[in-house]
Amino acid sequence: MSLKTVNPSMSRETLQLRLLKTNLGIFALTLLGTTWQLWIPQTRFPQIPLFEWVSALPAGIDWLTFGIMLATAGGLLLFSLVPILLKRSEQEPAAGWQRSCGLLFLSAYTVSVLFDQHRLQPWTYQFALGLLVLTCLKPPRAIRLMRLFVISIYLYSAFSKCDASFVQTLGRQLAEGLFSAVGISTAFWSPKTLGWIAATFPVGELLVAAGLFFRRTRKPALVAAIGMHVCLMLAIGPWGLNHYRGVLIWNIYFIIQDLLLFTANQTLDCPRTAKTEAQISEESLSPGRATVLERVPLLLVWLAILAPLLEPTGYFDHWPAWGLYASRHDRVVLLVNEQARAQLPASLQPFVDPPQPLSPWCRVRVERWSLAELGAPLYPQARFQLGVAIGVGRLLQQLPETEASPRIKLLFEGAANRWTGKRNVSEYTGLKEIEALSDRFWLNTVPRPLTLSD
């Protein structure tokens, strides 16, 4: 059934836009609901504000921003779904209110990130920008910009995996999870074989991005994109690696979004020579051809599309640059002394490994702690993970720490070499040495006060 047969009384672009907003509203509410503890004031997991001065502001602001995000996503869902059900034609209901909802969602999300960098989850970042596009731009321009935005996600995600570290670690795990999900054991496969399979993942993603960009290859690329998301869901789902359920929900959103965005549209996809000057102007992504109300949202999304180019320089974070399932970036490993382990609150102790033979140090599985307490994966930026380590170190600071009995140690693993996967690892022992690492970063690494219940 085509989009046109769903509601023949409105243009294809208008219906497409309403369905995209409906899809986005449903999944925004779903994922906000499954990760609700991430968005409210909490002391179950360290909160690391974007700037240190934000810690002085009342934490209750989190309730306000979370409420605004829920209300605006719900409002847009109603504004989009009701006209479809009532079969209203071209007139977009409450266009000004919809525009306000898109701007409010983005503003509330930005403020919430100021209070905790952990909230820079890639799906929320995508939804905030997507709502801005779908509510502030006219249908032809909005659909073309959303297409370009989604293609850029696939493109940057593919490039972030083009290195030895992905092939040697996460890529192999995904390959094992995928074959396990379809009942094929990889127990006796060589690492080289799994590595070659892992290397096909970024290549496939890159081909999908290129195929979706060109009109002639869009249909097979759409089929490939859906297949790619299905394979990823198998790999990380309950029959595979059994990872975070929110990623499964996000992949379902992507499948529906791609079907709505990239299914052939005779008006938008016809050759440029067959279009009138008015059509070309209405579809143009140049800010100079947009109206005053459209110009700022258009520039913001263009900035979001181009900013990931700065990620290799260290001036843009991994997730907003769509480094999804990438493993090359620098990272932090947190260790606590075996004796100090008993001092940790009972709620944290299940995430602390026993020590290795002949070693007094126990690894804290911070990524599992994040999933268990907040229902959200750990933000991969090293400065954020350093802030989490400082928060745990301050929890252990019951008595003055001495050189003879340090309670905490940190391994700072630099970015993996693109060709070999090797990393430079530095050790820092004691809270004082760890806190001194904050000077390396422009943005904040100091957590809000943390008090975990026993």
Side-chain angles (χ1 to χ4, degrees), residues 78-101:
L78 289 176
F79 283 133
S80 305
L81 190 57
V82 169
I84 295 173
L85 297 176
L86 296 180
K87 298 184 178 180
R88 291 186 179 175
S89 56
E90 294 299 315
Q91 188 67 33
E92 195 67 15
W97 279 103
Q98 291 194 48
R99 189 180 301 113
S100 298
C101 284

Side-chain angles (χ1 to χ4, degrees), residues 3 16 27 50 66 110 173 181 232 271 337 348 358 362 393-394:
L3 290 178
Q16 205 171 355
F27 282 91
L50 199 60
F66 186 44
T110 303
Q173 293 174 25
L232 183 57
N337 190 285
L348 177 53
L358 305 179
C362 308
R394 290 180 177 179

Side-chain angles (χ1 to χ4, degrees), residues 151-453:
I151 290 169
S152 75
I153 293 175
Y154 288 133
L155 184 66
Y156 289 124
S157 177
F159 280 130
S160 74
K161 300 180 183 71
C162 292
D163 58 74
S165 176
F166 174 78
V167 171
Q168 295 167 1
T169 56
L170 281 176
R172 288 183 187 174
Q173 293 174 25
L174 290 173
E176 290 170 351
L178 175 59
F179 285 105
S180 174
V182 296
I184 300 174
S185 174
T186 59
F188 300 103
W189 293 14
S190 69
K192 187 175 182 180
T193 299
L194 289 170
W196 278 110
I197 295 171
T200 65
F201 296 159
V203 174
E205 199 168 14
L206 189 60
L207 290 174
V208 164
L212 291 174
F213 186 79
F214 297 102
R215 176 169 51 88
R216 293 180 183 274
T217 56
R218 192 163 290 152
K219 187 174 181 179
L222 175 58
V223 175
I226 294 169
M228 181 178 69
H229 286 291
V230 170
C231 288
L232 183 57
M233 291 170 66
L234 287 172
I236 64 176
W239 298 282
L241 300 175
N242 198 23
H243 279 188
Y244 163 56
R245 64 182 177 181
V247 179
L248 296 175
I249 298 172
W250 192 30
N251 274 273
I252 295 171
Y253 165 79
F254 254 104
I255 290 173
I256 300 172
Q257 169 200 256
D258 286 359
L259 286 169
L260 293 173
L261 262 183
F262 295 106
T263 299
N265 183 315
Q266 293 180 357
T267 304
L268 287 178
D269 296 336
C270 67
R272 185 181 177 89
T273 53
K275 296 179 181 180
T276 65
E277 184 60 33
Q279 283 179 297
I280 294 172
S281 179
E282 196 174 40
E283 296 173 11
S284 173
L285 300 184
S286 168
R289 289 202 173 191
T291 64
V292 175
L293 287 175
E294 292 180 306
R295 200 164 294 163
V296 172
L298 194 58
L299 286 169
L300 282 174
V301 179
W302 266 115
L303 180 63
I305 290 173
L306 297 175
L309 295 172
L310 296 175
E311 191 272 342
T313 69
Y315 289 102
F316 201 67
D317 283 5
H318 311 307
W319 271 357
W322 310 111
L324 309 172
Y325 281 94
S327 55
R328 182 174 175 269
H329 52 75
D330 50 1
R331 60 194 184 194
V332 165
V333 177
L334 174 61
L335 306 168
V336 296
N337 190 285
E338 186 177 13
Q339 295 179 346
R341 181 185 181 187
Q343 296 178 302
L344 290 171
S347 59
L348 177 53
Q349 290 189 23
F351 310 105
V352 183
D353 291 346
Q356 295 293 317
L358 305 179
S359 172
W361 296 104
C362 308
R363 180 170 180 173
V364 181
R365 296 289 180 175
V366 180
E367 65 284 354
R368 297 178 187 171
W369 184 24
S370 171
L371 285 171
E373 296 292 357
L374 305 178
L378 183 72
Y379 194 57
Q381 215 66 27
R383 70 165 187 275
F384 176 82
Q385 297 176 9
L386 173 62
V388 174
I390 292 172
V392 173
R394 290 180 177 179
L395 271 179
L396 291 170
Q397 196 75 347
Q398 303 293 329
L399 298 171
E401 193 168 326
T402 63
E403 292 184 2
S405 59
R407 300 192 201 84
I408 187 171
K409 183 165 77 171
L410 183 142
L411 305 180
F412 193 98
E413 300 182 349
N417 182 282
R418 186 173 293 277
W419 305 108
T420 66
K422 294 182 178 179
R423 301 174 182 269
N424 293 323
V425 181
S426 304
E427 292 188 11
Y428 301 89
T429 303
L431 183 59
K432 187 174 181 180
E433 283 190 18
I434 292 171
E435 288 181 325
L437 290 173
S438 297
D439 295 336
R440 289 190 180 189
F441 302 99
W442 289 36
L443 296 175
N444 177 52
T445 63
V446 179
R448 285 177 171 270
L450 182 66
T451 54
L452 300 180
S453 58

